[in-house]
Amino acid sequence: KAGVTQTPRYLIKTRGQQVTLSCSPISGHRSVSWYQQTPGQGLQFLFEYFSETQRNKGNFPGRFSGRQFSNSRSEMNVSTLELGDSALYLCASSPWTSLQETQYFGPGTRLLVL
Amino acid sequence: AQSVSQHNHHVILSEAASLELGCNYSYGGTVNLFWYVQYPGQHLQLLLKYFSGDPLVKGIKGFEAEFIKSKFSFNLRKPSVQWSDTAEYFCAVRSQGGTSYGKLTFGQGTILTVHP
């Protein structure tokens, strides 16, 4: 099976712009989670989607949003970008939304905000 | 909110040395515990996980971890490391209750460097 894919892999934006990142889960996986990874804060949970519904949300401002489509693909959007949004954004998928599920991570999208 | 603490930021060992990476979490209820590894240039991948039962769990590549509930700990061990174990290791916790229900919370990570 192909792994989790994320596009684009690298992105440069300027402050105030908005950005959309895409994630295609492993075939058959219905749960998609997003994480932000920075040197200072480490890996932080953004949100989880299952069957097109947001199941859980981390402590991020409303500028961070996401959605999931009927084919389980997911997008996350960051509006009004700030310098501090520069990070590696990781997507992870799992077959279901059970607490015991292993999450399979993608390579990430590296976002640089200038 | 739950938190996860990894004791060491950077560990440097020689090949064949034994490894123990510490991990402590804050949530007092039922938890699911994970260790993930990120090899240079690769994705995060699961090393091992604990849900219930035998508190000593074995993972891939000879790694094991012990869950000690009374100490809120889930330390990772390997008797003899190899150069190929050079990577960053992340402990993660998913609680079954509380305000952090269902959220996978990661520690800050420990960079392991193994010298040949």
Side-chain angles (χ1 to χ4, degrees):
Chain A
K1 279 186 182 177
V4 177
T5 57
Q6 293 186 245
T7 56
R9 293 292 311 279
Y10 303 93
L11 206 48
I12 300 176
K13 292 284 189 179
T14 55
R15 278 184 302 174
Q17 287 187 309
Q18 67 95 25
V19 67
T20 299
L21 311 181
S22 181
C23 171
S24 293
I26 292 172
S27 176
H29 285 196
R30 296 176 60 188
S31 172
V32 173
S33 297
W34 289 89
Y35 297 85
Q36 182 196 64
Q37 186 176 22
T38 59
Q41 299 297 319
L43 272 155
Q44 293 186 286
F45 171 78
L46 279 157
F47 25 66
E48 179 190 7
Y49 286 87
F50 179 78
S51 291
E52 301 178 66
T53 302
Q54 187 179 90
R55 299 281 299 208
N56 218 330
K57 189 176 188 304
N59 297 322
F60 280 82
R63 300 186 296 107
F64 292 81
S65 63
R67 59 178 176 168
Q68 187 180 33
F69 302 96
S70 58
N71 61 358
S72 295
R73 191 177 68 84
S74 176
E75 289 181 347
M76 67 163 281
N77 184 277
V78 188
S79 62
T80 320
L81 283 165
E82 300 178 359
L83 297 179
D85 297 332
S86 295
L88 181 67
Y89 290 88
L90 293 171
C91 168
S93 75
S94 59
W96 205 249
T97 188
S98 157
L99 295 176
Q100 299 177 352
E101 293 280 1
T102 297
Q103 295 195 346
Y104 296 85
F105 284 81
T109 293
R110 189 166 295 280
L111 171 65
L112 177 62
V113 182
L114 301 175
Chain B
Q2 74 189 8
S3 63
V4 180
S5 174
Q6 291 185 237
H7 306 161
N8 307 99
H9 177 64
H10 195 177
V11 173
I12 302 172
L13 296 172
S14 298
E15 273 193 320
S18 63
L19 170 72
E20 180 159 4
L21 301 182
C23 172
N24 286 89
Y25 61 93
S26 62
Y27 182 67
T30 303
V31 292
N32 299 317
L33 300 159
F34 306 82
W35 274 97
Y36 281 86
V37 61
Q38 189 166 30
Y39 297 103
Q42 295 188 27
H43 309 177
L44 267 173
Q45 58 184 278
L46 183 73
L47 260 184
L48 47 79
K49 58 186 178 183
Y50 171 80
F51 300 142
S52 63
D54 188 345
L56 185 63
V57 292
K58 296 192 184 300
I60 61 171
K61 304 187 180 184
F63 286 91
E64 64 179 30
E66 185 176 14
F67 169 53
I68 303 179
K69 189 174 182 179
S70 61
K71 295 185 178 180
F72 301 93
S73 71
F74 190 55
N75 293 353
L76 181 71
R77 299 196 292 248
K78 186 171 184 179
S80 176
V81 295
Q82 300 173 310
W83 175 78
S84 58
D85 293 325
T86 294
E88 189 163 13
Y89 293 80
F90 295 90
C91 180
V93 174
R94 214 170 185 183
S95 66
Q96 296 190 19
T99 58
S100 298
Y101 174 82
K103 299 174 185 174
L104 191 60
T105 302
F106 282 87
Q108 288 287 347
T110 298
I111 298 168
L112 172 64
T113 301
V114 180
H115 290 302

